Amino acid sequence: MKVPRPWSARAWLDTAHVMIGLPVAVLLGGLTLLTAGWPPLLMRSVPWFTRVQRSRFEAILGARIPPVRSPSSWRSPATWRQIGYHLLSPFVGFAAAFLVAFAWGGVVVGLLSFLPRQLQPPPMEFEIGFDLRDDKVVAVFMVIGFVLLLLAPMLARGMAALDLSVARTLLGPSRSELGQRIETLTESRAGMIDAADAERRRIERDLHDGAQQRLVSLAMNLGLARATLTDLPEPAREAIAQAHEEAKQALKELRDFVRGLHPAVLNDQGLDAALSGVAARAPFPVKLHVDIERRATPTIEAVAFFIVSEALTNIAKHAAATKAEVSVRRERDRLHMLVYDDGCGGARLDGGTGLRGLAQRIHSVDGTLRLSSPLGGPTTIEVELPCE
């Protein structure tokens, strides 16, 4: 643990937190006792008292205590925890303030023990027998002062940490509430991912059955006109030929977009067939190995397809590779993926939107990503995804 320096801002903030906390705790604890005789007023006052304490921790220590979402009522355990904190905090605050004040007071007395002899000519003696005219006594006092100078910041840090720990336990959500919140967030995130995947499939289906079919019909009609209407003027034939080529190009781009969005073969035949198509369209040789005995969920398959497709696209754009290898295998409930290329290397997760998008997609399903790409190559991307 890093020891705070006596003159550092952190030491003074911890000390200020402890010393300010005592009067605040005494005031709020007293108000809690006063309003205990009138339960409706206590129910209205406790959330306000809690907000004051949370603001103190955030303003001085920069520590945010998450609020409790349960309603303020006698049946809520959170309400009793908050009342307990406001009644307990004066005792914690008094002990912390006493120890911190004693430590810093000892620093002042010890380091300035040589002054009384110089400022007050008559001899000054303590009743317990300490004569400040004696150099040995002054030396002992100064050594104690230096030791306390080193210990006081740590003591202030410890007391502030103790106060913060008690506050987080009693003012923040309990472990069960945090667990329920995490479970709720996990379920909502999974629902959003499934909804997004379903929306991509719907868009792919609509484009395939709608716009793509109309473009196919348009390209066929233009091709037929180009082949049959040979007696038209040259400008008209050139316009038809140009429109025919643009229609074919638009159809090709739409097919590539639909295929990258969510290929129909992924739903029908699985990840092996879909990745085979991606590898076959790559502008360099790709060695593909897929070993999946049991299919994963549609969402995980879509993420895996996107990872391989985007990785091969990045290799084609930036790596100057002559070959690549893709390995996908399932071990129990984990899907392990590896993408290797012999390109120039130097890829970084913060270097562009491609790999950053991969990382975001992987982390959205609680997967892991490891990247090895030294300058000069090769580049290896290792991904692990949960199958469920």
Side-chain angles (χ1 to χ4, degrees):
M1 183 180 69
K2 185 178 179 181
V3 178
R5 295 173 295 179
W7 55 87
S8 67
R10 183 73 267 168
W12 297 118
L13 286 175
D14 292 333
T15 302
H17 172 81
V18 171
M19 303 311 295
I20 294 173
L22 176 59
V24 173
V26 170
L27 174 62
L28 297 182
L31 291 175
T32 302
L33 286 176
L34 288 176
T35 56
W38 191 7
L41 180 60
L42 179 62
M43 286 296 98
R44 291 186 185 142
S45 302
V46 166
W48 185 83
F49 297 161
T50 302
R51 283 196 295 270
V52 172
Q53 291 285 25
R54 285 200 187 101
S55 301
R56 178 173 67 92
F57 283 99
E58 188 168 3
I60 302 177
L61 297 183
R64 185 179 181 274
I65 300 176
V68 180
R69 304 193 177 201
S70 58
S72 179
S73 65
W74 292 112
R75 297 181 180 180
S76 173
T79 300
W80 288 106
R81 290 201 309 269
Q82 293 176 44
I83 294 175
Y85 175 79
H86 296 309
L87 296 178
L88 178 64
S89 59
F91 300 97
V92 176
F94 177 79
F98 175 80
L99 292 175
V100 172
F102 178 82
W104 285 115
V107 171
V108 175
V109 172
L111 295 182
L112 301 181
S113 59
F114 65 93
L115 288 179
R117 183 174 56 184
Q118 298 179 6
L119 299 179
Q120 186 176 354
M124 180 178 179
E125 296 183 3
F126 291 101
E127 294 182 0
I128 57 177
F130 290 138
D131 187 358
L132 293 182
R133 294 174 300 177
D134 189 346
D135 292 337
K136 293 182 179 179
V137 174
V138 172
V140 171
F141 268 71
M142 294 193 70
V143 169
I144 295 175
F146 276 115
V147 172
L148 289 176
L149 181 64
L150 297 176
L151 293 180
M154 290 187 286
L155 183 61
R157 171 68 60 86
M159 292 298 100
L162 174 63
D163 190 15
L164 178 60
S165 177
V166 174
R168 280 178 170 161
T169 302
L170 298 179
L171 298 184
S174 64
R175 290 186 178 272
S176 60
E177 292 170 339
L178 288 175
Q180 292 176 358
R181 188 177 301 182
I182 291 174
E183 184 177 354
T184 301
L185 291 174
T186 302
E187 291 177 354
S188 64
R189 186 188 65 174
M192 291 178 62
I193 293 173
D194 291 341
D197 184 61
E199 183 66 14
R200 282 195 299 270
R201 280 181 283 176
R202 184 192 66 80
I203 294 173
E204 181 272 335
R205 184 175 60 252
D206 292 345
L207 290 176
H208 182 274
D209 297 338
Q212 183 172 320
Q213 296 303 320
R214 286 192 291 272
L215 274 177
V216 169
S217 177
L218 175 63
M220 290 179 60
N221 291 333
L222 288 174
L224 181 63
R226 184 178 181 181
T228 57
L229 301 178
T230 57
D231 55 346
L232 292 177
E234 184 64 23
R237 291 200 306 271
E238 290 180 358
I240 293 176
Q242 183 178 0
H244 184 213
E245 295 299 328
E246 289 180 355
K248 291 193 296 183
Q249 182 63 28
L251 181 60
K252 178 180 179 302
E253 293 176 357
L254 181 61
R255 283 174 174 167
D256 292 340
F257 173 74
V258 170
R259 194 181 295 116
L261 187 65
H262 193 97
V265 68
L266 182 62
N267 293 332
D268 300 336
Q269 303 181 35
L271 195 57
D272 192 356
L275 293 182
S276 298
V278 174
R281 291 190 300 273
F284 44 80
V286 178
K287 183 179 179 181
L288 177 65
H289 176 71
V290 179
D291 183 12
I292 301 178
E293 296 182 358
R294 185 163 53 94
R295 294 183 62 173
T297 61
T299 299
I300 298 300
E301 285 189 341
V303 172
F305 174 83
F306 173 82
I307 291 169
V308 175
S309 178
E310 185 67 18
L312 293 180
T313 300
N314 289 337
I315 293 172
K317 289 181 178 179
H318 308 294
T322 60
K323 63 179 180 179
E325 296 182 12
V326 177
S327 173
V328 182
R329 72 182 191 281
R330 176 169 180 167
E331 294 182 359
R332 296 179 183 177
D333 60 344
R334 308 295 289 182
L335 191 67
H336 299 270
M337 308 176 62
L338 186 144
V339 181
Y340 165 88
D341 71 84
D342 62 351
C344 59
R348 303 192 316 273
L349 291 177
D350 58 351
T353 58
L355 287 176
R356 188 162 57 247
L358 278 182
Q360 292 173 349
R361 184 71 68 93
I362 292 167
H363 294 156
S364 70
V365 292
D366 292 332
T368 60
L369 168 65
R370 291 185 294 274
L371 172 66
S372 174
S373 182
L375 288 176
T379 297
T380 303
I381 299 176
E382 297 181 65
V383 178
E384 188 174 311
L385 302 175
C387 292
E388 303 298 334

